[in-house]
Amino acid sequence: MFALVKFFHRSPVRMAELACGLLTTLLLLGSLDAQALPLFARQTGQNCLSCHAGGQFPELTPYGRMFKMTGYTIGARTVPISVMGVATYSKVADTSKSDDPAADFQKNGAPLFATGSLFLGGKVTDNIGAFAQVTYDNYAGQAVGDSGNNDGRFQGHTNADNMDFRYADHLIDDKRDFVYGLSVNNNPSVSDPWNTAPAWMQYVPVPSPTSSQFIDGNAPFASFGSGGNIAGVSAYMFWNKTIYAELGTYQTANRGLSFLSAGINDANTTKLQGSNNPYWRLAYSHEWGAHNIMVGATGMIAHIYDLGSDTSDPGNLGRVKNTGLDAQYQYLLDPHTITAQLSYMRQVQDYSPNTLLNFASPFVLADGLTPVAAANPSDTTNVFRAKLGYVYQAKYGGSVAFFNKTGTANTLNQSSGFDTNGQITSTDPLGTGIASTRVTGNLSGNPATRGFTYEAFWMPIQNIRIGAQYTAYSKFNGATDNYDGLGRNARDNNTLFLYVWGAY
Amino acid sequence: MNYKHIFLAMTLGAIGAGCSNIERSRDLANPAVPGHVLAVQVCAICHGVDGNSTSPAFPRLAGQQAAYIVNQLKNFRAQGRSDPAGSEYMWGLSHHLTDAQIDDIAAYYAKQKVVAPDVPTDPKLMAAGKDIFENGVPAQNVIACAACHGPKGQGIEAFPRIANQHADYIVKQLNVFQINQGRPGTPMEFIAHPLTGDNKDAVAAYLQDFPN
């Protein structure tokens, strides 16, 4: 796998060509044979809708959840490779209120081949299986030209995405139905079978150009502060299809486990202290008729080096504590699929002593003289998200989602403010002429962000999805109007997002 | 705790274990795995360990005629039964099954005890359904269900048990017989043809709540 990742890392153009070629093949095959399926479907021989509610991946059906919990071991071993490609188009409502629209809204209104993923996995033995995604991002960064600045050319990049390696067993008798297992993974809750878990709740796909920075996939969702690209092991059990429990712990994905963050440079890899970063999950599940419901809770404590990648100085160590609640309802009976999801996450982040020590706000109050308040040593945020979706005949679907993030205001999180002339400016503390942060500027230091997302999609065949999504903000970075102090309003970030998603 | 060692142990376990867990295997391509193991490890996820499935998307198999289950599984395996739900879920699962595994799966479900679903049914619908089940619809040339499926709807050999089956499943299968011919080679194609929507709803409701 390393070799494969390295190969693609060195040859992004070849990866793009390969992905395009495979996608074309897929389209040709797809039009001839609707039974052309990705690796898990090849393994069981079943249609995508067996495991994915109404065929809308990644949301799982009760059977799909059992397929995952039993370690991806149902079926027959097959070619363990799938590919996925996404073409996208993003258009932001207002690109004029920006100092540098070309940088703030790259590829706005342009159709793109955004990302391609390679999946390796499936059944290995009767007890062991895997799900490993390696993603190529066609717009990961920009090349540096002779001037030392970005020269506008984009560079692709390949890195480890969600990975989940499992051992599982399933004990069944007259009175007992007991699944238990072990997961080695790189993203807290990626092992979770329900789609209200942080790793699975937001809308996908999520392309990277800055014109896509306001699509729902980048809007607040109930996530863990640790993020992904870390290495963890968890033990889980599912008792009588009723109680699910999981307990795990995470550490930095380095040394022998660096493949879990392959392709991500050291500076961007989350650094955790030791391996005492516990993750837990408890859920109650019930099925009746064509209905099923889950109510659950989850949490994690991560000791994160939050100031660069220097792990030798204990003064760089902060702590993030997450506590979440979630619930999901599904009605699955052909031709109808109805899903209602709720998730809530509270996060308390204690900043490291050095982060606070080194922090000197570049801003003053409106009088141009009085210093802004000192940074709070900790922040609390609350994210609530609700989504209601419907799919007809596993072909036509739509959903509406609401997201609301609230939290404490902190001068540490202010990225625009008043300078000594009493003028509002965006963050540029070193005066080096760095790119404008006006579009994502935050005048209040308050994270409050709220909005709705509407989506409609069509699946002409089971492995192609064509979707249109619109995300509308009523609040962004703490305010409805003029959130950056430079005239940009929350609604200016409303974004239309179109995508074509294929997998084989 | 050393993650590297855990991962190494899993990898070595994977290599060492091979396909040795025959008694709890979910391998659909290993003829050595007994059918009754596949029944509880794979089939049971949708059809229930005791064959009394929860979701009407999946037929109840408890007490089903073994000969009927064998026929259907062989039909799925040969891709002869092509109603949408059948092909989407069952073609792949049955693809590698051996005749011996199919016999074993059928025997497992045939011996399971039927637990009647606890669903309240409109008495008028029950009465209409009972009439069709026992007497057919002479005016539409529909013969009584009981004539082939038995007076208690218990089935006889290749004629399936229909008592206590999910109403939604019954209606959908009657539609398959009437409309898309996804289940060729059964007399139901002709028998079901004249049934009206009301007929189907009534008989399905009666069968689901079949008095025992």
Side-chain angles (χ1 to χ4, degrees):
Chain A
M1 192 157 59
F2 293 128
L4 203 62
V5 172
K6 262 188 173 169
F7 166 79
F8 287 133
H9 182 62
R10 275 202 297 263
S11 315
V13 175
R14 289 185 69 178
M15 174 67 184
E17 283 173 358
L18 178 69
C20 286
L22 286 169
L23 258 185
T24 309
T25 311
L26 152 74
L27 287 166
L28 289 171
L29 283 172
S31 62
L32 297 171
D33 179 5
Q35 294 298 317
L37 311 172
L39 75 93
F40 285 144
R42 281 196 298 271
Q43 180 175 313
T44 64
Q46 294 177 296
N47 188 287
C48 299
L49 60 81
S50 307
C51 287
H52 295 291
Q56 51 175 339
F57 37 89
E59 185 187 324
L60 297 174
T61 62
Y63 173 74
R65 293 195 281 271
M66 286 298 274
F67 178 81
K68 181 171 179 174
M69 283 187 265
T70 52
Y72 314 106
T73 59
I74 294 174
R77 260 183 287 202
T78 181
V79 180
I81 294 175
S82 272
V83 289
M84 179 177 94
V86 185
T88 65
Y89 171 98
S90 302
K91 192 155 177 52
V92 182
D94 189 310
T95 56
S96 68
K97 295 168 190 168
S98 156
D99 295 334
D100 188 359
D104 286 338
F105 306 102
Q106 290 159 335
K107 301 292 175 187
N108 192 52
L112 309 171
F113 167 70
T115 58
S117 280
L118 184 75
F119 294 88
L120 298 166
K123 180 185 183 67
V124 181
T125 74
D126 279 338
N127 295 104
I128 290 172
F131 169 93
Q133 183 179 4
V134 177
T135 293
Y136 167 75
D137 180 353
N138 207 14
Y139 295 89
Q142 283 187 292
V144 176
D146 295 338
S147 66
N149 294 321
N150 290 344
D151 67 1
R153 285 181 297 121
F154 282 88
Q155 288 180 323
H157 183 71
T158 303
N159 60 260
D161 206 326
N162 289 325
M163 293 187 170
D164 178 22
F165 303 87
R166 285 179 186 245
Y167 172 92
D169 204 350
H170 191 175
L171 310 174
I172 304 161
D173 60 31
D174 293 346
K175 295 189 178 61
R176 177 185 63 166
D177 186 305
F178 186 72
V179 181
Y180 70 94
L182 206 61
S183 163
V184 171
N185 64 69
N186 65 351
N187 187 5
S189 81
V190 79
S191 52
D192 202 274
W194 283 277
N195 292 79
T196 43
W200 301 106
M201 179 66 178
Q202 81 271 43
Y203 280 88
V204 282
V206 190
S208 69
T210 49
S211 56
S212 299
Q213 65 186 306
F214 301 114
I215 66 168
D216 187 280
N218 289 320
F221 64 97
S223 60
F224 287 117
S226 67
N229 303 309
I230 51 181
V233 61
S234 64
Y236 64 92
M237 62 129 221
F238 191 39
W239 180 73
N240 282 356
K241 295 188 174 182
T242 304
I243 302 290
Y244 178 85
E246 184 173 353
L247 191 62
T249 186
Y250 286 80
Q251 68 166 43
T252 307
N254 54 12
R255 293 194 285 276
L257 293 162
S258 58
F259 67 94
L260 291 168
S261 64
I264 294 163
N265 65 32
D266 192 56
N268 289 332
T269 305
T270 304
K271 298 289 191 303
L272 297 173
Q273 183 197 39
S275 52
N276 180 28
N277 299 287
Y279 160 80
W280 63 272
R281 165 71 151 155
L282 195 60
Y284 167 81
S285 169
H286 179 62
E287 294 176 30
W288 76 103
H291 316 262
N292 69 79
I293 194 166
M294 181 281 297
V295 180
T298 188
M300 184 172 177
I301 296 175
H303 303 92
I304 301 175
Y305 290 94
D306 65 10
L307 200 70
S309 55
D310 180 6
T311 58
S312 63
D313 184 350
N316 287 345
L317 196 61
R319 192 183 86 137
V320 180
K321 183 181 173 189
N322 286 101
T323 316
L325 296 171
D326 61 329
Q328 175 173 284
Y329 163 81
Q330 287 178 322
Y331 175 83
L332 304 166
L333 190 60
D334 180 56
H336 308 293
T337 299
I338 299 169
T339 306
Q341 298 173 320
L342 296 173
S343 71
Y344 164 81
M345 182 71 81
R346 177 180 170 84
Q347 175 167 303
V348 179
Q349 177 165 16
D350 298 327
Y351 298 103
S352 73
N354 287 350
T355 292
L356 297 167
L357 204 63
N358 296 344
F359 175 69
S361 177
F363 307 116
V364 292
L365 296 183
D367 62 9
L369 290 170
T370 317
V372 297
N376 295 333
S378 98
D379 269 327
T380 301
T381 55
N382 300 284
V383 177
F384 173 77
R385 190 172 258 268
K387 182 181 173 188
L388 184 65
Y390 174 73
V391 186
Y392 180 67
Q393 287 184 338
K395 266 191 183 332
Y396 313 99
S399 63
V400 57
F402 170 71
F403 52 87
N404 187 25
K405 180 180 187 178
T406 58
T408 47
N410 193 346
T411 48
L412 188 66
N413 298 321
Q414 229 186 308
S415 52
S416 56
F418 292 94
D419 61 17
T420 49
N421 298 320
Q423 301 293 310
I424 291 180
T425 179
S426 59
T427 304
D428 189 5
L430 302 176
T432 52
I434 57 167
S436 163
T437 58
R438 178 171 168 178
V439 166
T440 53
N442 188 329
L443 182 66
S444 60
N446 188 302
T449 296
R450 186 172 64 210
F452 279 92
T453 293
Y454 311 87
E455 184 179 73
F457 63 81
W458 172 50
M459 291 181 287
I461 59 168
Q462 61 168 340
N463 34 21
I464 291 185
R465 184 158 113 197
I466 299 166
Q469 208 182 81
Y470 187 75
T471 301
Y473 293 86
S474 57
K475 200 174 246 191
F476 192 87
N477 280 355
T480 299
D481 295 317
N482 195 23
Y483 65 81
D484 60 353
L486 296 156
R488 196 164 174 87
N489 304 321
R491 64 182 174 279
D492 294 333
N493 295 338
N494 294 358
T495 301
L496 173 69
F497 175 54
L498 310 176
Y499 63 85
V500 180
W501 189 0
Y504 182 70
Chain B
M1 191 180 301
N2 191 323
Y3 294 80
K4 194 176 171 183
H5 289 162
I6 290 167
F7 194 76
L8 200 67
M10 281 176 77
T11 311
L12 290 175
I15 296 162
C19 292
S20 60
N21 192 6
I22 293 295
E23 279 307 309
R24 292 200 295 277
S25 175
R26 293 167 285 278
D27 192 338
L28 293 166
N30 181 357
V33 179
H36 65 272
V37 170
L38 295 177
V40 296
Q41 289 286 338
V42 181
C43 314
I45 296 173
C46 295
H47 294 285
V49 173
D50 64 357
N52 293 289
S53 61
T54 303
S55 169
F58 310 105
R60 301 163 68 90
L61 301 180
Q64 186 52 277
Q65 296 291 326
Y68 173 76
I69 298 179
V70 168
N71 277 351
Q72 297 311 304
L73 280 173
K74 288 183 176 175
N75 250 328
F76 288 130
R77 188 178 64 183
Q79 304 191 354
R81 180 175 163 181
S82 60
D83 53 304
S87 64
E88 287 160 0
Y89 292 92
M90 292 304 300
W91 283 11
L93 293 181
S94 60
H95 187 67
H96 299 286
L97 294 179
T98 64
D99 286 356
Q101 286 174 320
I102 286 175
D103 290 344
D104 198 16
I105 291 169
Y108 174 85
Y109 278 113
K111 72 179 184 203
Q112 300 301 318
K113 195 167 178 298
V114 178
V115 180
D118 182 20
V119 184
T121 309
D122 175 10
K124 274 170 75 178
L125 207 58
M126 279 293 278
K130 184 173 192 282
D131 190 37
I132 296 169
F133 178 80
E134 291 176 353
N135 306 310
V137 191
Q140 294 161 220
N141 289 323
V142 175
I143 61 166
C145 313
C148 297
H149 294 278
K152 291 185 172 304
Q154 78 279 18
I156 304 162
E157 292 291 320
F159 294 96
R161 176 189 176 89
I162 51 176
N164 305 121
Q165 188 54 273
H166 291 295
D168 185 82
Y169 180 77
I170 295 278
V171 169
K172 282 189 176 132
Q173 293 308 308
L174 289 172
N175 287 339
V176 169
F177 292 128
Q178 281 186 322
I179 302 162
N180 79 1
Q181 318 208 322
R183 299 182 64 170
T186 99
M188 283 305 292
E189 223 173 301
F190 310 103
I191 295 164
H193 192 70
L195 288 173
T196 64
D198 286 347
N199 292 157
K200 287 184 280 187
D201 288 344
V203 79
Y206 176 69
L207 288 172
Q208 176 169 274
D209 208 9
F210 198 88
N212 285 297

